[in-house]
Amino acid sequence: MKIIEVESYEKLSLLAADMIASQVLLKPDCVLGLATGSSPLGTYENLASRCGEGRLDFSRVRTVNLDEYCGLTAENPQSYRYFMDQNLFGRVNIDPANTHLPDGSASDMEAECARYESLVESLGWPDLQLLGIGHNGHIGFNEPAEDFPARVHTVQLAESTIKANSRLFDRVEDVPTMAVTMGIGTIMKARRVLLIAGADKREIVERAFHGPVTPQVPGSILQLHPDATVIFTRS
Ligand code: F6R
């Protein structure tokens, strides 16, 4: 695992965008695994600028997102589909039909989990998976647990995750308590993994990548990925 410390969030975003852009340039029809949240906002901004300047072409790129809240439709401004449309998909020349997220509003969530796992598999698994990390070590919405979940599954969000994510909702009661997420096994199948962590994640970066590999800190599994890079900043 490669751990790179950079001096600022701007540098982190630039470097992450460089890695994603080089993946797209080397394989124009690559599969990108993507994340939502605050961490990738600067990276997406960078990618959108490069595309706007004609330096990057997303026309053949396929994407699969890590996760989605249960119970929110794509039109809901709090949904991860909405976030992706606003922050990346609507700002680059990607074919919307090539962008995929789990459907959090599916009536049969078990069937939806199986469908999404098969979809990611049918695309050949991500060439590059972008990740953030929660303060409790979650990646995707794989919360601390007894085991590492293998496949796409639904999950009860941890109290700390609901609290952290409530900053984006009017009231904490509005934050969905369930989500659908790629499993740790799904994430580990990506050929390359890139995790980005801002200054607020100093403690968990230390625990996850310099401590023991344990499902109590789900991100720690990345220590065992053959091609994982962590970019973090302390300021
Ligand atoms: C989002 C996701 C989450 C976030 C994590 C960090 O799709 O899977 O694991 O990456 O909660 O979120 P931020 O970046 O908002 O601190």
Side-chain angles (χ1 to χ4, degrees):
M1 143 172 278
K2 203 190 287 177
I3 303 185
I4 305 172
E5 181 175 355
V6 292
E7 68 213 32
S8 65
Y9 178 73
E10 286 67 35
K11 286 265 165 64
L12 175 155
S13 302
L14 196 63
L15 192 51
D18 281 348
M19 284 184 65
I20 296 171
S22 69
Q23 175 65 70
V24 173
L25 289 165
L26 288 170
K27 186 177 175 193
D29 64 344
C30 64
V31 177
L32 296 180
L34 298 175
T36 61
S38 306
S39 307
L41 283 174
T43 305
Y44 293 158
E45 184 67 46
N46 262 282
L47 292 173
S49 301
R50 291 173 205 214
C51 194
E53 293 160 9
R55 293 195 283 140
L56 199 56
D57 178 15
F58 275 82
S59 61
R60 293 167 61 203
V61 170
R62 284 92 41 88
T63 68
V64 282
N65 262 76
L66 284 165
D67 42 19
E68 178 61 281
Y69 286 122
C70 287
L72 301 188
T73 60
E75 296 73 38
N76 189 311
Q78 309 290 2
S79 74
Y80 284 177
R81 160 58 76 181
Y82 193 94
F83 173 100
M84 290 307 301
D85 287 347
Q86 293 292 312
N87 291 295
L88 187 67
F89 302 152
R91 306 175 63 197
V92 296
N93 65 331
I94 199 163
D95 178 350
N98 285 338
T99 67
H100 305 281
L101 281 91
D103 178 1
S105 65
S107 52
D108 180 347
M109 281 315 293
E110 209 174 306
E112 175 55 15
C113 291
R115 179 198 73 83
Y116 199 64
E117 179 82 20
S118 302
L119 174 96
V120 183
E121 181 173 14
S122 72
L123 292 173
W125 310 107
D127 291 292
L128 176 60
Q129 175 68 57
L130 179 65
L131 297 169
I133 188 164
H135 291 282
N136 63 2
H138 72 222
I139 52 172
F141 272 134
N142 294 281
E143 302 284 24
E146 292 305 310
D147 306 294
F148 290 112
R151 298 164 71 84
V152 176
H153 60 288
T154 54
V155 62
Q156 178 78 43
L157 297 184
E159 222 29 72
S160 61
T161 303
I162 294 174
K163 206 162 153 225
N165 292 2
S166 67
R167 69 189 190 279
L168 305 167
F169 289 76
D170 288 340
R171 302 173 314 158
V172 67
E173 302 82 68
D174 296 337
V175 186
T177 55
M178 299 279 296
V180 51
T181 180
M182 284 188 194
I184 293 291
T186 327
I187 293 170
M188 289 293 276
K189 290 201 176 94
R191 276 178 279 290
R192 288 198 297 152
V193 171
L194 168 60
L195 186 142
I196 52 180
D200 60 318
K201 303 286 171 48
R202 278 188 303 246
E203 265 176 50
I204 193 60
V205 164
E206 187 60 32
R207 272 177 70 207
F209 308 124
H210 297 285
V213 174
T214 161
Q216 293 300 330
V217 184
S220 64
I221 193 79
L222 299 179
Q223 293 183 39
L224 305 181
H225 191 283
D227 193 344
T229 302
V230 173
I231 309 177
F232 80 104
T233 182
R234 288 179 217 268
S235 46

